Amino acid sequence: MPAYLIRHRAGERGDILVEGNDLTLTLTDNWAVLSDTHGPTLAIPAEQTSDIQRIDPEDGPADEPAEE
């Protein structure tokens, strides 16, 4: 299941992980909006985010070694 990791700027609230099969990310001048087939699920002011990273299922967590 695809997911998006939203990292806040230093000193802001904790990071957010949002998962869903049909999530889409839309960036506007002032907002980062995650939506699914039912509409917007999360909107964050762009000025509060450090970065947003899509994590695909085959990526897996960064701290686990890849299987051979």
Side-chain angles (χ1 to χ4, degrees):
M1 172 179 321
Y4 288 90
L5 177 61
I6 302 168
R7 292 187 180 98
H8 282 88
R9 294 187 184 276
E12 296 289 329
R13 299 177 194 104
D15 299 339
I16 300 171
L17 180 66
V18 181
E19 298 176 310
N21 287 326
D22 54 358
L23 283 177
T24 59
L25 173 65
T26 304
L27 301 173
T28 67
D29 291 338
N30 300 316
W31 292 90
V33 180
L34 286 168
S35 302
D36 63 13
T37 56
H38 302 286
T41 51
L42 178 68
I44 297 180
E47 64 190 26
Q48 292 183 5
T49 63
S50 170
D51 67 80
I52 300 174
Q53 176 184 0
R54 181 180 165 125
I55 302 171
D56 290 317
E58 59 272 6
D59 291 345
D63 56 352
E64 288 186 14
E67 292 183 22
E68 294 183 23

